[in-house]
Structures are given as C-alpha cells and as structure tokens.
Amino acid sequence: MANKTTAEKLATIQQGYALQGATIELGAAIVDGEIHKEAQVRLPLAMMNRHGLVAGATGTGKTVTLHMIAEQLSTAGVPVFLADIKGDLSGLATAATGSEKLTARTEALGQQWQGKNFPVEFLSLGGDGNGIPIRATITSFGPILLSRIMDLNDTQESSLQLIFHFADKNNLELIDLKDLRAVIQFLTSDEGKEQLEDLGGLSKATAGVILRELVTLEAQGMERFFGEPEFDTAELLRTAPDGRGVVSCLELPTLQTKPLLFSTFLMWLLADLFEDLPEAGDLDKPKLVFFLDEAHLLFSGASKAFLEAITTTVRLIRSKGVGIFFVTQTPKDVPADVLGQLANRVQHALRAFTPEDAKALKATVSTFPVSDYDLEETLTSAGIGEAVITVMNEKGAPTPVALTRLRAPESVMGPSADDLIRSTVASSSLLVKYGTALDNISAYEKLTSNAVPSTGDAAPGLPPVPGSSSGPGASGGSPYDIDAEARRIEEEILGRPSSRPAPAPAPPSQAPAPAPQQDSGMLGDLAGVLGGALGGGLKSMARSIGTQLGRDLMRGVFGTSTRRRR
C-alpha cells in the first residue's frame, strides 16, 4: 500500500471523529510530527458506558488525563467516581490559574480554556483520611469478598459461607468484625457447636484460621471500615444544584500497603451499584463513570473465581448505565477477558528499557486497529500529555488510531489546600448521615449478654428459612428439608435440574415450595461465574446453605447483600 500524504491521514482522522452527539473533547491529532487543531479527537458521551483503559508508564500523564475527562463529564451532568491513591485529584475542587505556557498549549490545541472548580465530594475509607467516612457492614460485604481480604482457601470460604447462613437464619446481625468473631466463637463453643451438625459442622481448626485473620484485619486498622451507618452507593449518582455531576473523590493515602482491601472495596461498590440499579439500555449519557486508578492492584493475586466475577460485572453493568475506566501502566495488567470489553483506549507512552518492556510494547501494539502510525515507535517517543487514542464511535465501530496532544484540565493539577478539603467535608450534607459511627445491638451484644434475648423470626421483608425457629438453638430441620432445600438452591444457581438424587416423597405439609422464576438472561450470564466463585464445593455449599443465603447469592455476583439497616 502506498504511503498516505499528511492531508490524507488528516482526512481519515477528521472523518473518523466527526461525531453527531455530545462528546468528551480529548485533544488535537498529531500527524507527521505536527499538531493539527482542525483534527479534533473526541469520545462520544453515549459510549462512555462501553468502558475504557487509560494506560502508560509512570509520569506520562495518566492521572491528568482522567482529571481532564472527569471535568468534562461533570460539566455534562454525569457523576464521576475517582479513587485518589496519590492525593492528586482533590485539585478538581480548585480553579486553576493561567500562565503563558498554558495559554500557548491550549491555543495550539484549539481549546477555549478557562479556570474552573468542580463540585467534589471527598470520601475516605472508614474515616482514614480527610473525607466523609465510608463503611460497609459485614453482612453486606458478603463471604466471598471477605474471604478475598482474609486470603482464605476454598474450604475456609465454604465454612465462612456457612457462618453467614447461620447468622442470617437466626437474625444475628453481622455489622462489624466483633459480630463475626462472636458468632464463630459461639459456633465452636459447647453450647453452639451442635447447631451446625446437620449442615456439616464447623471445625475448630478452620474457625481458628478465620479468627486469626480477623485479628490481622484489626491489627491493620481495617475494623474502621466495617460498621454502620453503611454507605449507600446511590450517593455516587448525585448532581449538584447547577446540574453538574458530583465528583466523588475517595482518598486512599495509606491503602497502597493494603491492596486487597483497596481493590476488594472497589468491587463491593460496583457490585452494590450493579444490584441496585435497574436496566437502562442505551442512554444519551451514562449514569456514572467509575475510574479505577492503579487497576493492577485489583487483579494482583486475584483468584480465578474473583476474576470471573469481575469480568461478569464489567460485562453486565454497562447495560445499567455505568462506565468503568481502568487506569494502569500497561494493558497486560488487565486480564484478557476484561481488556476485551474496554472499547475506549487512551494509551500514553511506554518504555522499552528491558526485554520484558519490549514484550509488553509489542503486546500493546497488537491490541490496536491497523493505522497510519508506526505504533512501536510512536508509543516509545510520545511526550508527556500525549497519547495514542481509539474509541468506539456512535455506530459501535472503532475510530481511527490518532496520536493526540491532550487538552489541559481547568482545575488544579494536584491537591487542593487542606483547609478547602476540610471546609468542603464540614459543609457536606453527607457528614450528618455518615459522619458518626453507630454501634447498634447486633450479634456481639446478643451472644455475649448474660441473658441472650430471643432473636425472633427472620427480619421483616426477608423470606423465612425452612425449619428455622426463633433463636440460635433452633433446629436445622429434618434431613428431607435439608436435602430438598439443597436441590432447590443448586437449581436456582445453575439454572438447570439438580444433579443430586431426588429425595423420597415427603408428606404434603413438607413439600418444598417451587423455586421462584429467575430472569433467564441474567441467570445465563451469572451461572458461569457463580460456578467458578463457588468452585468444586458447589454441591457441598448447596447442602450447607439455606434459603436466605442462596437468594443473596442469586442477587449478588460476589455473594453481596443489598439489605441496609437505615
């Protein structure tokens, strides 16, 4: 193929990015070494829920890129969530000031620049930092995500699921770590160990491992994250009075040393959003765009089951109007199944100092469409604030690859002043709601009081557990009840007839109720990941877990619960 002229290359880019609807303006194309402001590179707002990747070596401008995109999303009325690990993104709350150098850059790009500040809500994990404290209850977090934080094996995770089942069945609220510890200690005591015999029991060795991991979590200061009031992820979907989207900025200054907590917490947020939001279909603009900075922490050391659950969440959540952008150093930090779902790509410069770097460079180039650029050379020579871009156009096709000089943010590229952050937090409407930790009566108080009060029946609105009664000493039900319930749960989870032998016919009064119908499309998408998440212990789990936890697993990809005590 004959080499194209500069004019032909420009025409290809101009035609490829001639979009009709609202867009996020990314910058001006660089062709044959020159910036061409007549060739604007942009991303359709309606395609932001097709997810994306912002990648590049350290210091090439990734954080500034997501900063600039977040500004425009907010201006368009789209709420944004940012995980601010390095503390650089709080500058969104402070208008930037101009300079000659900045003016020269923006004029060359054709950017009409004006310093602005944006509506920012500062959040912190359990109050660790400057921000509204975010907490989750142990019950809501669920056994699968909690097992990841505690690095439990499959057997230990199965036992933790059994513990959750017992607590749910007996209305023992698992709010914080001391509640979970109290339930485990009860189940291994002389009084409590008989309660799980019909369901397989809980060995003292496994209980000991889980208890030791709870001590480790407390030693790392993680007990502050678990508790009440629990954060409602609907708070991330708010807009300011002037119609701009609120930028929720989660400060994570100390969590680089706690990658499991950081990554698992972000997946809890996404799982909770996924369960709460209705199907939305194709929208003119997303309901929320979620930026996951330092995304390699999310996948590092993750089990196959956890990765499958992430893949399922990413695939399905876009239909609910949520876009996810992964921000990391190289595309190889993201598993192939997830990377294949990221339609919008902003690739900053890569370095090729080592053989491993060179291999990563070739792999990155292979993920881009054929273009007029020598991408290996382009990606190693691109300057700070430049990136190779291809996005999904309004017809669902990839746009031409374009080396782009990116637009400058209009707010401060760096942290805002501490006084501004503190005053913003103090004046936030969320402070009244979440600022003070609560310690309501829960499993710990019920199990450690001298006279343990009756826990009563299942909480209002929750389906009763077959064979359950009102307290921790309740019987687990007859063998027929347990076996029939196990078959029903397995059929709900797998979406096909149970592989377990059918029990002998029971009297009419004991016949199990028919399984509720599930959405077949949703079930088809979740069946694979649930099978992976529960691993080879699926049948064992089905024998062990009763109605309520089975239904919770059907609601949540990660076994999370959407119940809130507010």
Side-chain angles (χ1 to χ4, degrees), residues 54-67 293 327-329 348:
V54 179
T58 301
T60 55
K62 300 187 301 295
T63 302
V64 176
T65 296
L66 66 92
H67 186 136
D293 201 359
V327 185
T328 188
Q329 293 197 11
H348 288 264

Side-chain angles (χ1 to χ4, degrees), residues 410-432:
E410 297 179 318
S411 54
V412 168
M413 292 182 286
S416 287
D418 288 342
D419 289 345
L420 174 62
I421 296 175
R422 284 193 291 266
S423 64
T424 302
V425 173
S427 62
S428 171
S429 61
L430 299 185
L431 186 61
V432 175

Side-chain angles (χ1 to χ4, degrees), residues 70 73-80 118-120 238-240 242-247:
L73 287 168
S74 176
T75 300
V78 178
V80 177
F118 295 84
V120 179
R238 295 177 300 134
T239 56
D242 61 5
R244 291 184 297 171
V246 171
V247 179

Side-chain angles (χ1 to χ4, degrees), residues 255-498:
L255 288 189
Q256 292 192 60
T257 59
K258 305 170 187 174
L260 283 181
L261 177 60
F262 156 74
S263 59
T264 310
F265 165 72
L266 294 183
M267 289 315 301
W268 173 76
L269 283 179
L270 283 173
D272 198 70
L273 281 166
F274 175 78
E275 296 306 320
D276 283 353
L277 291 175
E279 291 291 324
D282 292 328
L283 302 174
D284 293 336
K285 62 183 181 182
K287 294 180 180 179
L288 173 72
V289 175
F290 206 97
F291 287 96
L292 296 178
D293 201 359
E294 303 292 340
H296 65 281
L297 296 177
L298 180 65
F299 304 107
S300 178
S303 67
K304 179 181 178 182
F306 192 77
L307 293 176
E308 288 175 345
I310 293 173
T311 303
T312 298
T313 301
V314 172
R315 182 172 68 251
L316 297 179
I317 202 169
R318 71 173 186 85
S319 66
K320 300 195 173 190
V322 177
I324 305 172
F325 275 67
F326 295 88
V327 185
T328 188
Q329 293 197 11
T330 70
K332 70 183 182 68
D333 293 334
V334 181
D337 288 344
V338 176
L339 188 63
Q341 299 180 55
L342 310 184
N344 304 303
R345 306 282 298 279
V346 180
Q347 178 67 60
H348 288 264
L350 293 173
R351 308 299 180 225
F353 298 140
T354 68
E356 187 66 24
D357 292 340
K359 186 184 300 183
L361 175 62
K362 289 183 179 296
T364 299
V365 169
S366 68
T367 64
F368 279 88
V370 175
S371 73
D372 296 323
Y373 295 91
D374 180 343
L375 287 181
E376 285 196 32
E377 178 183 350
T378 300
L379 286 175
T380 53
S381 61
I384 297 173
E386 297 177 353
V388 172
I389 293 175
T390 180
V391 302
M392 181 177 285
N393 67 20
E394 294 159 324
K395 296 180 180 179
T399 58
V401 174
L403 176 61
T404 307
R405 176 70 61 86
L406 297 167
R407 292 165 64 97
E410 297 179 318
S411 54
V412 168
M413 292 182 286
S416 287
D418 288 342
D419 289 345
L420 174 62
I421 296 175
R422 284 193 291 266
S423 64
T424 302
V425 173
S427 62
S428 171
S429 61
L430 299 185
L431 186 61
V432 175
K433 191 173 182 180
Y434 301 107
T436 303
L438 303 177
D439 191 10
N440 292 311
I441 294 176
S442 52
Y444 174 80
E445 287 78 15
K446 291 179 178 180
L447 291 173
T448 58
S449 61
N450 291 330
V452 179
S454 172
T455 56
D457 295 327
L462 299 180
V465 180
S468 69
S469 62
S470 62
S475 169
S478 70
Y480 175 87
D481 290 334
I482 296 170
D483 198 48
E485 187 63 14
R487 285 175 53 82
R488 190 193 64 74
I489 294 171
E490 185 176 346
E491 289 172 357
E492 282 191 5
I493 292 176
L494 296 180
R496 58 170 171 75
S498 171

